[in-house]
Amino acid sequence: MSKAAIIFLTTCFSILVVLYSATIKATPGNAIVIHYDAPIWIVLQCFLSQWLSLKVYGTLIPSKKEDNISIQFFLAVFVISGFIYLFLAIFLTLSLELFFGIQEIDKRHVSLLALSLIFLHVLNCGAVISFKLIKGVNEQRLDLERVQKLLLEKQLEAMQQKLDPHFLFNNLNVLSALIGSNPEIADEFLDKFTNIYRYVLECQDFKTISLDREITFAMDYMSLVEQRFSHAYKLDVECRRNTLYQHVTLPCSLQLALENVIKHNQGDRENPLWVKVIVTDHWLEVRNKIRPKVTTVPSGKLGLINLRKRSEMILGRSIEVMQKDGEFMLRLPLACN
């Protein structure tokens, strides 16, 4: 809370206290008597209480960890600052009253003065402690968010630097076979294979990538898949060309979606499985008919879980997974370029 807000609230509180006191003291049929300097004295007393509370808090805190303070610590702040405040406020108030001769000093007056000062200190020191508690909770929450964000960023870096090693070995085997049987196709296969790994290396330092580059990368990836599985899987991309340059997406997200389709669905040369990619204004949709493989592949769904975390952290929106009428659809969020 700003100093201006504290001054404003303290002043309003002091005026209300004076009005309440004057109303109680007023006798029926007589006007309410208000001393216009009264709010000033109460404001000064409130500021003294707040200042002493902060000073005692600051003096005691070095011996404690600020993120691990107890109720006993706050009680100590309240009691110590209270005794100091009571002594100083009574001494200063009585000294001024004696000097100006504006009040008769007796036991009753001193007792009432002490009670009113204790009341003020309870409210002011309580407010100071409450603000400190709220500030501490907010700081802990921000620290936790920073740690979580750092952890997610590290996970993101690890994911972006990783391409399935099986993909590498399987395609090297395909390349080896093509070199002996069809050198021309082997050259084309090697070009796309090189493009894929160049793209992965280039994307390591980027949290988002332009949609046109991601789709080009996915098409190169599917070319290798088609060659490896004898054209059992086909890719169809549907989008407006200007849309490709207006949006960004997560690097390798489309490749992960295609990899997920191939992992869980059966395709063959005579009846290939078509994977349709549709670009809309806000989503990158990946659709395919559900054709489960005869031999099931164990899946912990880590790929989609990590993809969801990346999407929420970087784009502020989650992926969407749907199954309807024998069709599987994965929607990847897009952001404006």
Side-chain angles (χ1 to χ4, degrees):
M1 185 179 291
S2 65
K3 289 183 178 179
I6 293 172
I7 293 171
F8 175 76
L9 290 174
T10 304
T11 303
C12 291
F13 168 75
S14 301
I15 293 171
L16 288 174
V17 169
V18 170
L19 289 173
Y20 180 72
S21 300
T23 303
I24 291 176
K25 292 178 181 178
T27 56
N30 294 322
I32 296 174
V33 179
I34 297 176
H35 298 285
Y36 294 104
D37 62 334
I40 298 173
W41 295 114
I42 294 178
V43 166
L44 293 175
Q45 289 169 353
C46 289
F47 285 155
L48 178 61
S49 175
Q50 294 169 12
W51 180 78
L52 283 171
S53 299
L54 289 171
K55 281 296 179 183
V56 172
Y57 182 94
T59 303
L60 297 181
I61 202 66
S63 61
K64 295 271 186 180
K65 289 185 177 180
E66 197 159 1
D67 58 348
N68 191 30
I69 51 182
S70 62
I71 297 298
Q72 288 80 4
F73 169 79
F74 287 113
L75 238 135
V77 171
F78 177 77
V79 172
I80 294 171
S81 61
F83 275 115
I84 299 172
Y85 170 71
L86 203 58
F87 173 78
L88 285 176
I90 289 176
F91 174 77
L92 291 172
T93 303
L94 293 180
S95 298
L96 287 170
E97 288 176 349
L98 285 171
F99 180 77
F100 290 105
I102 58 176
Q103 180 70 45
E104 182 181 347
I105 309 299
D106 54 22
K107 288 182 180 180
R108 182 176 178 277
H109 174 66
V110 174
S111 300
L112 289 174
L113 177 62
L115 286 173
S116 65
L117 291 173
I118 291 171
F119 170 74
L120 286 178
H121 184 67
V122 167
L123 292 177
N124 284 277
C125 186
V128 169
I129 290 174
S130 298
F131 286 133
K132 284 292 183 181
L133 280 171
I134 293 169
K135 183 182 177 183
V137 170
N138 287 335
E139 287 177 351
Q140 287 182 2
R141 179 178 56 80
L142 291 174
D143 288 341
L144 181 61
E145 288 177 356
R146 280 193 289 266
V147 170
Q148 289 177 335
K149 185 177 179 181
L150 182 62
L151 180 61
L152 286 172
E153 286 177 350
K154 293 299 180 184
Q155 290 175 346
L156 172 63
E157 289 176 8
M159 285 186 285
Q160 289 188 174
Q161 294 172 6
K162 178 182 176 183
L163 197 61
D164 188 352
H166 294 96
F167 177 79
L168 170 63
F169 296 128
N170 290 331
N171 283 289
L172 285 176
N173 289 332
V174 173
L175 179 61
S176 177
L178 285 173
I179 289 173
S181 61
N182 196 329
E184 291 184 4
I185 295 179
D187 285 342
E188 184 181 344
F189 187 92
L190 182 59
D191 285 341
K192 294 185 183 298
F193 189 68
T194 305
N195 290 339
I196 285 175
Y197 273 89
R198 183 185 298 115
Y199 179 84
V200 172
L201 291 173
E202 288 176 353
C203 289
Q204 287 182 9
D205 298 326
F206 297 103
K207 292 183 178 180
T208 59
I209 198 77
S210 62
L211 184 57
D212 65 307
R213 292 192 63 191
E214 179 68 11
I215 287 181
T216 301
F217 163 66
M219 293 174 70
D220 287 339
Y221 172 81
M222 282 300 292
S223 294
L224 301 192
V225 169
E226 286 183 32
Q227 192 66 47
R228 178 186 163 197
F229 291 102
S230 302
H231 302 280
Y233 298 93
K234 298 284 187 179
L235 178 65
D236 179 28
V237 180
E238 182 181 306
C239 67
R240 300 189 305 273
R241 185 159 187 82
N242 62 328
T243 308
L244 294 176
Y245 304 99
Q246 294 173 352
H247 294 89
V248 294
T249 188
L250 302 176
C252 302
S253 58
L254 183 53
Q255 178 265 328
L256 285 172
L258 296 172
E259 188 180 86
N260 185 66
V261 172
I262 296 160
K263 181 179 180 180
H264 297 289
N265 294 275
Q266 181 66 47
D268 56 69
R269 188 182 183 91
E270 288 72 27
N271 185 22
L273 178 72
W274 281 91
V275 185
K276 192 165 187 177
V277 175
I278 303 173
V279 180
T280 67
D281 289 335
H282 304 289
W283 298 96
L284 182 60
E285 297 180 356
V286 182
R287 302 184 180 189
N288 65 276
K289 293 292 182 183
I290 299 175
R291 287 161 56 178
K293 289 186 175 180
V294 177
T295 305
T296 57
V297 181
S299 174
K301 297 184 178 180
L302 289 177
L304 293 183
I305 291 172
N306 287 335
L307 191 57
R308 178 175 284 107
K309 288 180 179 178
R310 287 173 59 196
S311 181
E312 290 171 351
M313 183 181 75
I314 297 172
L315 300 178
R317 294 159 61 202
S318 181
I319 64 172
E320 292 184 359
V321 179
M322 289 171 276
Q323 292 187 34
K324 186 179 180 181
D325 299 330
E327 185 181 65
F328 178 87
M329 180 170 68
L330 174 62
R331 302 178 79 195
L332 305 170
L334 298 175
C336 292
N337 194 355

